[in-house]
Structure formats: structure tokens, C-alpha cells
Amino acid sequence: MDRLDGRVCLVTGASSGIGRAIAGLFAAEGAVVVCADRRADPVEGGETTVDLVRRAGGRAQEVLVDLGGPEAAAGLVDAAVAEHGRLDVLVNNAATYVSKPLLDTTLAEWEHVFAVNVTAVFLLTQAAVRHMLTREPDAFGVRGRIVNVSSQHGFVGAPLDIAYGTSKSAVVYLSRQVATDYGHSGIVCNGVAPGKIMTGKGGREDDPDWVRRWQERSPYPRLGRPDDVAHAALFLASDEARYISGENLMVDGGWSAS
Ligand SMILES: NC(=O)c1ccc[n+]([C@@H]2O[C@H](COP(=O)([O-])OP(=O)(O)OC[C@H]3O[C@@H](n4cnc5c(N)ncnc54)[C@H](O)[C@@H]3O)[C@@H](O)[C@H]2O)c1
């Protein structure tokens, strides 16, 4: 229960779904979690993540921010450091999608997806690395850890969602690039690549045809849950992930293996 004891972790998109599970698990492991999202209420319903964490005895701060704007993304890390004195782990989880194929996607839709899914990740990572490089390395030689939530669709095509799939591919690459350029300085950067995770957000999740298609495609006897991804993120955020950087860990029940 103390794998992140006292560490300050910033999780974007922490109000709902996978980000909510990550924030809850990190707090249960002793982290102080800065929960950043454009809305406080979970998309799937229920109490806010911060209330959930506090009710369980954990520590969390809520920050309402729309990461679609570059100023907001750039300022988020500095605000967290000002509030808590440091940042140990950044989890870039927030993302948006359009669910349209190439010929139906407008430039405005493409640019919005890239603003949230790629530019915000770039700006948050830039600010985090800048801060982490000012810190002394820990016992493992690490100055800070970054976990980017990418997707299996960063590796294989995202059916009928060109903007989302292309943006997730950029996140996969960004993780490798940061690991490449700053590994010698003690920055560890990895990605978690979820397969189909049922978050309760509706949309395609409520369509039996899509659910059947996903289940038939997956060798695992069930589809994914937010906790499945949270445990992978916890591993990569913890001291247990050693000599692992630039990796994108598939959490897809074997989907991409088959
Ligand atoms: N659910 C899946 O099957 C699945 C599969 C692969 C990858 N992923 C990835 O996992 C991550 C989380 O996905 P999810 O399914 O939990 O999504 P979700 O829609 O349930 O939650 C996303 C959260 O991000 C927040 N968010 C969206 N745009 C934002 C913005 N502009 N500023 C601030 N916050 C914003 C939302 O308010 C929401 O709370 C995403 O990066 C997604 O690409 C999910």
C-alpha cells in the first residue's frame, strides 16, 4: 500500500474512466494526487474522484482545466509544483476523440483532437521534465517518471477514427523520444497502451454490435476494466519498473498479439 508513498502525481483526465482508476489506485498507494480535468463529475456518473479518494483516506487535489488550450496545459505543472513543492510522476491520460473516418473529419475536429491528445501532452511533458531536471536523482538514479496513456490504436488502425488513432500514434512516439533524449538525465518515460476498456461512458460501449465485435477480436474472455490499466500505470510509475523506458505496455488482453 505504499508503492508511491508521499509522491506527488499529476493525473490528467482524472475525473472519469481510466484516469479515475489511476488516481484512486495511486492515492491508495500513498501518493498525493493532483486530479486535473475539465469537469469534476465522472462521465460514467458517481461521486467525484477527489471525494472518492478522500473518503478512502487518501490525498487528492482537484484542478479544473481545459487542456485544449495551450496556456492551461503549460501552466498546470507549475501550479502543481507551487502547491506541493515538487512533481514526481506525470500521467498524461486525458484524451478526446471524434469517431469519424478520413473523409468526414473536418480540420477543426482534427486540430481539436491534436490540441488535447498531443499538444497538451507535449506541453505538460515539457514542463514536467524541466522541473524534474532540477531535482536530485533518487536511489535508482531517477529524477522523475512520466506515464503516457496511449492506445493499441497507436499501433493498429482505429476503426472510423483517423484523428484519434493518429494522435495516439504520436503519443507512442513521444514517449520513446523523451526516453531517448532525457534517459541519461534520469527521466523515465513510458506508455500504457489500453485495448478495449469498458469505462461506462456510453457511445460505442452501448452498442451491442461494437461490443460483440470487440469481444470476438479479443482472445481474453472479457473486455478490459479501468483498473487493469491503472495497475499497469502504477507499475510504470513505481520503483519496480527498473531499466524500462521508452516502452509502450499493451493492456489489451492479447488483442494485438492475435
Ligand atoms: N477506454 C478505452 O477503451 C481506451 C482504449 C485505449 C486508450 N484509451 C485511452 O485512455 C485514456 C482515458 O480514456 P477513457 O476511456 O477513460 O476516457 P473517458 O472519456 O472516460 O475519460 C477521459 C477524461 O478526460 C477528460 N478530458 C477530455 N478532454 C479534456 C480536456 N480538453 N481537458 C481536460 N480534461 C479532458 C474528460 O473530461 C474525462 O474525464 C485516453 O487517453 C484514451 O485515449 C482508452
Side-chain angles (χ1 to χ4, degrees):
M1 300 295 283
D2 60 355
R3 289 157 80 189
L4 296 176
D5 195 23
R7 297 190 197 175
V8 178
C9 304
L10 169 57
V11 181
T12 68
S15 293
S16 315
I18 291 169
R20 176 173 169 82
I22 292 173
L25 185 61
F26 279 25
E29 290 289 342
V32 177
V33 186
V34 180
C35 299
D37 206 296
R38 68 179 167 178
R39 54 184 285 170
D41 294 331
V43 174
E44 62 270 35
E47 65 187 317
T48 68
T49 299
V50 167
D51 285 348
L52 194 70
V53 166
R54 290 182 182 155
R55 198 163 47 77
R59 290 170 289 175
Q61 179 202 359
E62 183 178 273
V63 180
L64 291 178
V65 58
D66 186 344
L67 294 170
E71 297 80 14
L76 187 54
V77 167
D78 292 346
V81 171
E83 178 74 22
H84 300 283
R86 64 181 201 284
L87 179 67
D88 299 290
V89 178
L90 167 65
V91 181
N92 282 307
N93 166 79
T96 191
Y97 48 89
V98 170
S99 301
K100 289 184 182 175
L102 171 72
L103 298 184
D104 298 339
T105 302
T106 66
L107 178 59
E109 288 167 337
W110 173 273
E111 288 182 341
H112 179 63
V113 169
F114 268 69
V116 177
N117 296 11
V118 183
T119 305
V121 174
F122 161 71
L123 291 168
L124 284 157
T125 304
Q126 187 177 59
V129 169
R130 196 172 277 141
H131 161 69
M132 289 166 178
L133 290 178
T134 66
R135 309 177 59 205
E136 289 301 313
D138 66 15
F140 301 98
V142 174
R143 286 191 163 90
R145 291 178 180 269
I146 296 160
V147 180
N148 292 321
V149 181
S150 55
S151 173
Q152 66 183 9
H153 292 312
F155 297 89
V156 296
L160 306 175
D161 205 339
I162 188 167
Y164 176 80
T166 312
S167 75
K168 287 291 158 179
S169 209
V171 172
V172 169
Y173 180 79
L174 186 143
S175 304
R176 294 188 180 129
Q177 181 80 47
V178 172
T180 300
D181 291 342
Y182 295 98
H184 59 275
S185 303
I187 304 299
V188 175
C189 182
N190 287 293
V192 176
K196 189 57 229 166
I197 310 297
M198 301 297 274
T199 62
K201 67 170 161 276
R204 286 179 181 172
E205 279 189 18
D206 290 341
D207 182 336
D209 287 341
W210 276 99
V211 174
R212 188 168 46 249
R213 177 177 172 172
W214 294 328
Q215 187 59 76
E216 283 170 2
R217 180 68 182 76
S218 171
Y220 219 75
R222 64 167 173 83
L223 294 170
R225 301 172 186 141
D227 268 6
D228 298 328
V229 183
H231 281 280
L234 172 62
F235 167 65
L236 293 174
S238 76
D239 295 339
E240 290 158 30
R242 296 182 199 169
Y243 206 54
I244 300 171
S245 199
E247 185 55 82
N248 279 274
L249 179 56
M250 292 286 181
V251 185
D252 69 351
W255 178 308
S256 51
S258 63

